[in-house]
Every structure is written in structure tokens, then in C-alpha cells.
């Protein structure tokens, strides 16, 4: 049954069916209406069922019915009848499908949904979908049971945890998900880019020769205010021929601080091989915050995708890796400050992939200038390394490595006192976008430390020893400054400022340590400090809020009162609570972890809670007021599952400072690269002393 849609939106076709077997007889009524003027009305349909218990068998050969007129509703019905003996049983299977093969965004671009790769785009796709559902549903159910059984049968896990773990996955299908088959449409960045280069009358070519193994051919074009930079390289012996295409924007060609150039971000757009092709994936921050793949929140939610759909997770990371090296100069007004800036700054990780024109017009968020946020770039580095370590995908690592370097180097501008530690700028410049931060902050500072360590580890694994040494040096100095300025003996202060909440206990203060441990890297701090800070969070942020039955409040004072500095400091965030619980599991504090996370189940899912089932909000307060239903961040509960199954999740993750145990000469670095230019991990290497990252041998 095909349905017309308003405003020329893509059409939708529905199909309904029942499975006919030796014991089940199926009949159909292909079309009836809801109004009295219809040829066959809904009343006629029910009268027929009451009288005969089935529809006329000749309806199967009735042929196609006309399409509905504007405002008219067409319906269809399927009947299945069977005889059941006393105390007997019979299974009757029905299936409903719908096919809407195109996705059309507000600014006009259309894409084909992922399933069209297998079912095509015709109206008959719905018929094939419903047929396959009836033919395969038993196997699907068996596969689901095989997937869930190890967790459901694990007696060590609380029943509420098993219930919540699987049910929080509702968001991946109900939270606004778009999965397309093809890359960007015909008028994509690549084709527009090449056209612009061909039409550029002022194009100039400069040539030079340099002795560096990673310099590149760089091309640049600015199209409709969106800046694209392309590169390639040709190595002959130990020399590299470098050609730089430059126009009036020559000064904006991205270069690393060591003079080397980044590769073509356009190549990161479509990096998939046939075997790894998973299409392109978007999901909303929430049904109230309509932005695709909001990255500071994806930091928490991405554990679910990594655990269940790792290739989709890598696809999202590639999208952001490409975005790091691009720039969109169109002007945007930032509402909080009332100032103007450009939409997307090169080197900065975008807040999101857009709203009305995803992939083409990023950063739909316009409250603050997110190019000045301090958490997005470190979160990108941490997610990339975690995914690289978990999947062991060296091709992915090599593809996104230039973006990792750019993300690290972009953050150096925020180190104003040369202590290698980034400072916040006195406004809410991170995911807590109403909670102001001054100077060094526990949240962003810890993320930065973790990002430096992850970048150093990844650099060694990919054969970029100079960058590894650079990150290692920064980490040593930054860690010392971080602990000196924020550690107070039992936890890390909220920030290094002098405001009333600077010594508040933040539930998310060890977010960087969470990712460090989840990635199999050495802890950022000694065990005492990690456990002490987490115990403080448990004792105050969790247990002093309704006896631990609501989750962890974001901010808490030492006097046991909630930090009322702003809306977000007094809120309980389900996703952050799950993250804190995952951190506790990784620190060997499972009892506190499950007690912490159970508060989210009690308040959000249980019968005595607030009734948020299958619409878990971003936040609620002690009195039960909620904000932003159906939100992405609560998927962070899969971070707990990752922590519980860590030995299986991490592939060849280093447990000691790999910068000290792997030494590459320039010759060995070249000769040990495989076809993708990536050096394989060294297995079971011996420990070396004097490691800044503590040895765990």
C-alpha cells in the first residue's frame, strides 16, 4: 500500500502479511476506507469478519488498487484462521513492514537508506521486507537470545542491570536514526571541489624538495564559504616532491608545526573498502536537541556502538576525522555571547554533523563558539584510540592519524602559561554548557592528560616516534601541573579558580581516566588518588542524594549540599552516572559501581520512579523535574559492560609505556611498514625502566 506524503517528501509504502501454513489459512482485504463514502468501509470489514471469520479468497487476484486522494485514507487487512484442539496450541505469525527508501533533509539533499542496498528503491521493497521477516523471524529471535544469554545468565550481575542494559538500546532505533547506503549525493563535496579547482583562474603551483618522509601534495579550494584542502605525496628515495596549490587563501593551508602537511580530508570521506562498507550513520542528540551525532555526547554513548556495531562506530569517527581538517567560513551568531564567528574552524572537532544538511553544514549548535570548547578535541583523540585499540584496525588508525595530530596541536593555543596543560576560559566551554569553568578544570584537564597519553601510544604504534616523544613530554609536565593545582588530598577540585564552586566535587572529574582504563592504557594517576576521588563521588554525589536512589548529582559541596551554581551543576545526568559507575568498575569498586548506577534504574525505569521508561532524559533534579527526554547520553551504560568485559574488548592494548619499549631508527621505521604505512604492534615486549606511564608487568 503506497502512501503519498506532504510537501513532496519521499513516498512511503506499507505491507502487512501473515504466514500461511498447513494449519493456518490466510485471507486478505486489500483496500477499505474509514469514511462512509468508501466503497468498502471499516464497518463492512468487521461485519465480514463477524459473519465468516475470513475474507473472500478471490481478493488475492483483485489486482492493484488506486492511490488515495489528498485527505483520503486507505486501509488494508489480513486475516489468519486456524483450528486449535483442546489444550493444543498453534502459532500465527503476522508481520508489518514499511519502505521509505529516501531520506530528505531540510536543505534539499536526498539519500537512499541503507536497506535499499539489498532491497532496492521500488514500491515492492515493502513486500520483500515483510516476506523476509516472516521467513526469518525465528532465526532472528534465536540470534538475539544467543547474544543476550551470556549476560542474562550471569548470576554476578543484578537483574535491574540486565534489564536496563538492553532496554537503553531503544535509543538506537527510537531516538532519530538515519542510516544511508550511498556517500554524499551527486553534488557532494568532492565533485564541487574538483569543479572549483578547474574554474579557479588564479591557481598557482609552487615546487620544492624536502627531506621528510611524510610531506604531501596539498590542494585547496573554497566553495560556497566551505574550505577544503586536499593532499597526496610521491616519495622517490629519501626525497619527496612537494607541490602546493595556493590561491588567495594560501595562508590557510593546514600544516603541522613540524612543517609537514596533512592529507586530503576528502579521502577520509569515502575510505571504506567493499568488505568494510557499512554506509553512513547519523543519530540525534535527542528528540528535543535535534543535532546529528553530537560529539561531546557521543563520547558517552559510543560504547554501545563500539560493542555492538563497531564498523558503524569507525564510520562515524572517519566523518569527524575528515571534519577536523576542513573549515566552513560562513558567519554564525553565538547566542550566549552575542558575537559572530565562523561556522567551523580548521583543527577544531565539530560539535555535531549538522541538522538541516549533515556532513555539509556542521555545527548546528550555536549557543557558544564550540571552536573554543576544551573537551571536543581531547574526546576525539580518546575515542579514536579506544576504537583503534578495541578493533585492531590499522587501516582506520592510519587514515585518521593526521586528524589526531591536528586535534592535539589545535589545543596548544589554550595553554597560556606554558605548563602544557590547557586552561578553560571563564565560560561554559565544554559539554556542561551552562556550568562556567575558570583556569584548570578537573574535567577538561583530565581529558587532556588522557588524550596526550593516547596520542603518544597511537603515534608509536603507527610509527610516528617524534610525535610520540612530543606528546610524552607534554604529558609529564601537564600531569605534574594538574595534580599540583587541583588535587586536595581526597579528590580533584572542580577548577583552579576562586569561585564558590571551585572546590565542588564533580561526578565527572575522572572522565579521562575512564577512557584511559577502557582503552587498556596505564592509569593517569596512582591507585590511591583514583579510588579516593571515586569514593568521594560515591559518598557525596551519590549517597547524599536520596540515599543513592537517584544517581549521581553533577556537583556537590563538602557540606553535603548540592552545588546550586547553575542548572547543570544541580542536575543528575543518567549518562554521566553510568560513566562514573564504569570508572568504579575499572578501579575495582564494583559494589559502589552497581549501587551508583542502580539509582538511574530506580528513578528512571522502576515502578516507584518517575516513569521515564524508553524515553530516558538527559537530566533530572532531586525533585523529579526532567530535561530533554529521549537523549543519547544514557547509552553510556554500555561503558559499564565494556568495563566488565575489558579483557575481551582490548586488542593488543599496551600495559606499559610503549614509547620507552619500542625504539625505531629512521631505517627500521621505513622498512617495518606494511602496505598501509603502519607498523605492527610489538607483542609481549619486555618492560623498560624509567617509564612515565607506570609499568603493570
Amino acid at each position: 500500500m503506497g502512501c503519498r506524503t506532504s510537501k513532496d517528501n519521499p513516498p512511503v509504502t506499507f505491507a502487512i502479511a501473515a504466514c500461511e501454513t498447513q494449519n493456518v489459512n490466510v485471507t486478505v482485504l486489500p483496500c477499505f476506507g474509514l469514511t462512509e463514502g468508501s466503497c468498502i468501509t471499516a464497518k463492512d470489514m468487521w461485519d465480514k469478519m463477524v459473519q465468516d471469520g475470513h475474507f473472500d479468497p478471490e481478493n488475492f487476484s483483485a489486482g492493484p488498487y488506486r492511490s488515495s486522494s489528498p485527505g483520503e485514507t486507505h486501509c488494508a487487512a489480513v486475516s489468519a484462521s486456524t483450528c486449535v484442539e483442546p489444550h493444543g496450541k498453534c502459532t500465527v505469525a503476522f508481520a508489518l513492514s514499511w519502505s521509505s527508501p529516501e531520506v530528505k533533509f531540510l536543505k534539499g539533499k536526498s539519500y537512499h537508506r541503507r536497506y535499499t542496498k539489498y532491497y532496492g528503491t521500488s514500491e515492492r521493497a515493502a513486500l520483500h521486507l515483510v516476506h523476509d521477516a516472516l521467513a526469518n523471524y525465528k532465526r532472528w529471535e534465536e540470534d538475539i537470545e544467543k547474544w543476550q544469554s551470556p549476560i542474562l545468565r550471569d548470576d554476578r550481575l543484578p537483574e535491574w542491570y540486565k534489564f536496563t542494559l538492553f532496554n537503553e538500546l531503544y535509543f538506537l532505533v527510537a531516538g532519530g536514526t538515519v542510516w544511508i547506503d550511498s556517500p554524499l549525493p551527486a553534488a557532494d563535496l568532492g565533485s564541487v571541489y574538483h569543479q572549483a579547482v578547474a574554474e579557479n583562474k588564479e591557481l598557482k603551483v609552487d615546487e620544492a624538495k624536502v627531506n621528510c618522509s611524510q610531506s604531501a601534495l596539498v590542494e585547496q579550494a573554497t566553495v560556497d564559504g566551505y574550505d577544503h584542502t586536499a593532499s597526496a605525496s610521491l616519495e622517490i628515495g629519501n626525497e619527496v616532491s612537494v607541490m602546493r596549490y595556493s590561491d588567495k587563501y594560501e595562508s590557510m593551508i593546514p600544516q603541522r608545526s613540524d612543517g609537514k602537511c596533512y592529507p586530503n580530508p576528502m579521502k577520509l570521506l569515502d575510505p571504506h573498502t567493499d568488505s568494510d562498507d557499512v554506509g553512513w550513520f547519523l543519530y540525534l542528540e535527542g528528540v528535543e536537541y535535534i543535532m546529528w551525532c553530537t560529539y561531546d555526547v557521543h563520547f558517552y554513548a559510543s560504547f554501545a556502538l563500539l560493542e555492538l556495531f563497531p564498523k558503524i562506530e569507525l564510520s562515524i569517527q572517519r566523518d569527524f576525522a575528515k571534519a577536523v581538517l576542513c573549515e566552513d567560513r560562513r558567519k554564525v551568531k553565538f547566542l550566549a555571547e552575542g558575537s559572530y564567528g565562523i561556522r567551523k574552524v580548521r583543527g577544531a572537532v565539530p560539535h555535531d554533523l549538522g541538522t538541516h544538511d549533515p556532513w555539509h553544514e556542521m555545527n548546528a549548535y550555536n549557543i557558544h563558539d564550540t571552536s573554543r570548547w576544551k573537551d571536543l578535541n581531547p574526546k576525539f583523540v580518546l575515542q579514536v584510540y579506544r576504537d583503534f585499540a578495541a578493533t585492531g584496525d590499522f587501516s582506520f588508525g592510519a587514515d585518521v592519524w593526521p586528524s589526531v595530530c591536528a586535534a592535539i596541536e589545535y589545543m596548544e593555543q589554550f595553554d597560556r602559561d606554558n605548563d602544557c596543560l590547557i586552561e578553560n576560559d571563564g565560560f561554559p566551554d565544554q559539554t556542561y554548557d551552562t556550568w562556567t569553568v575558570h583556569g584548570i578544570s578537573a574535567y577538561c584537564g583530565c581529558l587532556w592528560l588522557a588524550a596526550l597519553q593516547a596520542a603518544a601510544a597511537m603515534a608509536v604504534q603507527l610509527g610516528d616516534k617524534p610525535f610520540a616523544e612530543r606528546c610524552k613530554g607534554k604529558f609529564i609536565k601537564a600531569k605534574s601541573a594538574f595534580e599540583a593545582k587541583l588535587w586536595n588530598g581526597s579528590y580533584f577540585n572542580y577548577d583552579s579558580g576562586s569561585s564558590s564552586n571551585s572546590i565542588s566535587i564533580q561526578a565527572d572529574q575522572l572522565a579521562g581516566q575512564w577512557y584511559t582504563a577502557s582503552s587498556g592504557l596505564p592509569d593517569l594517576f596512582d591507585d590511591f588518588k583514583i579510588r579516593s576521588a571515586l569514593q568521594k563521588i560515591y559518598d557525596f554525589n551519590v549517597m547524599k542524594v536520596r540515599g543513592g536512589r537517584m544517581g549521581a548529582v553533577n556537583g556537590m559541596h563538602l557540606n553535603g549540599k548540592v552545588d546550586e551554581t547553575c542548572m547543570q551543576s544541580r542536575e543528575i545526568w543518567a549518562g554521566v552516572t553510568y560513566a562514573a559507575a564504569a570508572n568504579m568498575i575499572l578501579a575495582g569498586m564494583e559494589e559502589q559501581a552497581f549501587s551508583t548506577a542502580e539509582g538511574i534504574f530506580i528513578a528512571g525505569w522502576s515502578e516507584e520512579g518517575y516513569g521515564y521508561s524508553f524515553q530516558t532524559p538527559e537530566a533530572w533534579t532531586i525533585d523529579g523535574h526532567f530535561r530533554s527526554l529521549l537523549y543519547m547520553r544514557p547509552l553510556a551504560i554500555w561503558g559499564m559492560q565494556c568495563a566488565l568485559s575489558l579483557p575481551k574488548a582490548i586488542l593488543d592494548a599496551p600495559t606499559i609505556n610503549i614509547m620507552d619499549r619500542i625504539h625505531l631508527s629512521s631505517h627500521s621505521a621505513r622498512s617495518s611498514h606494511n602496505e598501509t604505512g603502519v607498523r605492527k604492534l610489538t607483542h609481549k615486549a619486555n618492560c623498560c625502566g624509567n617509564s612515565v606511564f607506570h609499568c603493570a608487568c
Side-chain angles (χ1 to χ4, degrees):
M1 182 191 304
C3 296
R4 293 178 178 177
T5 55
S6 62
K7 299 180 181 179
D8 295 323
N9 284 320
V12 183
T13 304
F14 293 89
I16 186 170
C19 188
E20 189 170 66
T21 67
Q22 192 174 19
N23 300 319
V24 177
N25 181 53
V26 176
T27 56
V28 301
L29 181 60
C31 186
F32 66 92
L34 297 180
T35 60
E36 291 185 1
S38 302
C39 181
I40 302 176
T41 66
K43 183 178 183 304
D44 297 331
M45 183 270 293
W46 285 116
D47 287 345
K48 179 69 173 175
M49 289 299 297
V50 171
Q51 178 180 338
D52 300 334
H54 60 80
F55 299 119
D56 295 333
E58 57 266 24
N59 287 345
F60 278 114
S61 58
Y65 280 73
R66 65 177 178 84
S67 299
S68 60
S69 302
E72 183 182 14
T73 301
H74 278 186
C75 307
V78 174
S79 168
S81 57
T82 185
C83 292
V84 182
E85 296 180 357
H87 306 290
K89 64 179 181 179
C90 179
T91 299
V92 180
F94 290 88
L96 170 68
S97 73
W98 55 93
S99 175
S100 181
E102 289 187 14
V103 179
K104 182 180 179 182
F105 291 100
L106 190 62
K107 291 204 171 180
K109 290 187 176 65
S110 295
Y111 307 84
H112 286 137
R113 296 185 190 272
R114 175 65 175 174
Y115 73 87
T116 63
K117 179 181 178 70
Y118 309 99
Y119 290 93
T121 60
S122 75
E123 292 182 353
R124 296 190 61 82
L127 297 177
H128 299 311
L129 286 164
V130 80
H131 173 272
D132 282 2
L134 288 174
N136 297 295
Y137 78 91
K138 290 183 179 179
R139 179 173 58 83
W140 295 346
E141 290 177 345
E142 292 173 357
D143 289 343
I144 291 172
E145 186 174 346
K146 289 178 182 178
W147 161 49
Q148 293 184 341
S149 287
I151 294 174
L152 296 177
R153 295 177 181 176
D154 191 340
D155 295 334
R156 299 171 301 171
L157 302 177
E159 289 302 312
W160 66 261
Y161 170 77
K162 303 172 187 177
F163 171 92
T164 315
L165 178 72
F166 290 115
N167 282 328
E168 288 286 12
L169 291 173
Y170 82 91
F171 188 82
L172 289 180
V173 291
T177 299
V178 171
W179 190 6
I180 67 169
D181 174 50
S182 59
L184 299 184
D188 61 18
L189 296 182
S191 59
V192 173
Y193 162 76
H194 288 298
Q195 179 182 358
V197 171
E199 294 176 353
N200 190 347
K201 305 297 184 180
E202 302 177 2
L203 196 64
K204 297 180 180 179
V205 179
D206 299 322
E207 292 191 12
K209 286 188 177 181
V210 294
N211 280 319
C212 60
S213 62
Q214 297 179 7
S215 292
L217 165 71
V218 178
E219 302 175 357
Q220 172 171 319
T222 302
V223 184
D224 296 330
Y226 196 88
D227 185 62
H228 311 289
T229 302
S231 66
S233 63
L234 174 64
E235 183 172 352
I236 304 174
N238 292 329
E239 292 186 330
V240 181
S241 295
V242 181
M243 292 182 290
R244 179 172 301 157
Y245 288 80
S246 60
D247 57 11
K248 59 183 178 181
Y249 301 116
E250 179 178 7
S251 61
M252 305 206 60
I253 294 176
Q255 287 186 300
R256 286 171 42 171
S257 58
D258 57 7
K260 299 176 182 178
C261 303
Y262 296 119
N264 183 358
M266 309 308 297
K267 292 181 178 179
L268 295 173
L269 186 63
D270 186 10
H272 311 289
T273 64
D274 291 340
S275 61
D276 288 340
D277 176 26
V278 293
W280 276 253
F281 188 86
L282 299 169
Y283 68 138
L284 291 175
E285 179 179 340
V287 297
E288 296 178 33
Y289 301 157
I290 305 176
M291 292 168 281
W292 297 109
C293 295
T294 299
Y295 202 72
D296 56 310
V297 185
H298 182 66
F299 176 78
Y300 299 83
S302 58
F303 281 90
L305 286 174
L306 178 62
E307 183 77 12
L308 303 174
F309 307 103
K311 290 184 179 180
I312 290 179
E313 167 63 9
L314 296 188
S315 175
I316 293 174
Q317 299 295 25
R318 290 180 187 274
D319 286 338
F320 278 92
K322 179 193 75 72
V324 168
L325 302 180
C326 292
E327 184 167 276
D328 185 344
R329 303 182 189 184
R330 286 172 286 185
K331 295 292 184 179
V332 174
K333 183 177 182 179
F334 303 115
L335 302 181
E337 294 81 17
S339 59
Y340 286 84
I342 67 174
R343 178 174 289 277
K344 168 65 179 69
V345 176
R346 182 183 288 111
V349 174
H351 172 273
D352 54 79
L353 292 179
T355 294
H356 304 314
D357 194 8
W359 298 293
H360 292 264
E361 185 181 274
M362 293 171 285
N363 281 336
Y365 179 95
N366 64 348
I367 298 176
H368 301 288
D369 181 358
T370 59
S371 69
R372 295 177 59 202
W373 276 21
K374 309 307 184 296
D375 63 336
L376 288 168
N377 281 41
K379 285 176 175 176
F380 170 73
V381 175
L382 289 171
Q383 288 186 72
V384 163
Y385 183 78
R386 178 205 58 187
D387 297 349
F388 173 64
T391 64
D393 190 330
F394 276 83
S395 176
F396 164 75
D399 287 341
V400 302
W401 176 241
S403 298
V404 171
C405 296
I408 289 289
E409 293 179 342
Y410 181 85
M411 294 302 294
E412 294 174 354
Q413 63 182 299
F414 302 119
D415 173 19
R416 274 90 183 205
D417 55 4
N418 295 319
D419 62 354
C420 294
L421 196 59
I422 60 173
E423 285 87 41
N424 294 85
D425 283 330
F427 75 101
D429 50 357
Q430 22 77 43
T431 195
Y432 299 91
D433 58 354
T434 70
W435 200 355
T436 298
V437 197
H438 299 276
I440 308 296
S441 74
Y443 183 67
C444 296
C446 188
L447 289 171
W448 175 239
L449 289 178
L452 286 173
Q453 178 175 240
M458 192 169 180
V460 171
Q461 293 168 359
L462 296 179
D464 193 345
K465 186 179 178 182
F467 199 82
E469 293 296 334
R470 180 179 170 190
C471 290
K472 174 185 173 180
K474 286 182 174 295
F475 174 86
I476 295 171
K477 191 172 181 181
K479 180 177 182 292
S480 176
F482 181 86
E483 293 186 307
K485 294 178 181 180
L486 294 183
W487 179 250
N488 60 26
S490 60
Y491 66 95
F492 293 98
N493 290 336
Y494 175 70
D495 65 26
S496 61
S498 56
S499 64
S500 60
N501 72 312
S502 288
I503 60 171
S504 289
I505 308 165
Q506 185 180 14
D508 219 0
Q509 63 184 270
L510 289 178
Q513 168 60 26
W514 172 36
Y515 257 71
T516 293
S518 297
S519 303
L521 290 168
D523 291 336
L524 296 177
F525 315 106
D526 61 56
D527 183 66
F528 165 75
K529 290 179 180 176
I530 294 171
R531 292 177 63 91
S532 175
L534 291 173
Q535 188 66 46
K536 198 77 172 184
I537 292 166
Y538 177 75
D539 291 341
F540 281 74
N541 301 60
V542 178
M543 297 308 296
K544 291 186 181 296
V545 177
R546 300 286 175 89
R549 300 177 66 81
M550 293 193 73
V553 69
N554 284 335
M556 177 67 79
H557 291 299
L558 284 171
N559 61 7
K561 294 183 178 180
V562 173
D563 186 340
E564 299 278 351
T565 300
C566 67
M567 172 185 73
Q568 291 175 342
S569 63
R570 61 176 174 264
E571 287 180 332
I572 295 161
W573 289 8
V576 168
T577 300
Y578 289 142
N583 227 340
M584 293 173 185
I585 291 172
L586 292 163
M589 302 167 62
E590 287 194 15
E591 181 178 349
Q592 296 94 323
F594 284 116
S595 178
T596 295
E598 187 178 11
I600 301 301
F601 166 77
I602 293 171
W605 289 88
S606 74
E607 293 183 0
E608 62 182 278
Y610 296 114
Y612 300 141
S613 301
F614 298 104
Q615 51 182 352
T616 313
E618 157 77 316
W620 56 75
T621 55
I622 294 177
D623 56 6
H625 289 89
F626 68 85
R627 178 171 60 83
S628 187
L629 287 173
L630 281 90
Y631 198 76
M632 180 197 293
R633 204 183 316 250
L635 283 171
I637 191 172
W638 281 86
M640 295 180 64
Q641 188 60 27
C642 174
L644 290 167
S645 58
L646 191 60
K648 293 186 298 182
I650 301 300
L651 177 64
D652 293 327
T655 57
I656 62 172
N657 178 12
I658 59 177
M659 280 81 72
D660 284 344
R661 73 180 185 185
I662 302 175
H663 299 280
L664 297 175
S665 66
S666 58
H667 172 74
S668 63
R670 287 194 299 272
S671 62
S672 63
H673 278 52
N674 59 22
E675 292 181 357
T676 61
V678 179
R679 187 181 188 279
K680 293 184 178 180
L681 288 169
T682 298
H683 297 279
K684 298 181 180 179
N686 293 325
C687 175
C688 294
N690 301 319
S691 169
V692 60
F693 306 139
H694 305 298
C695 174
C697 292

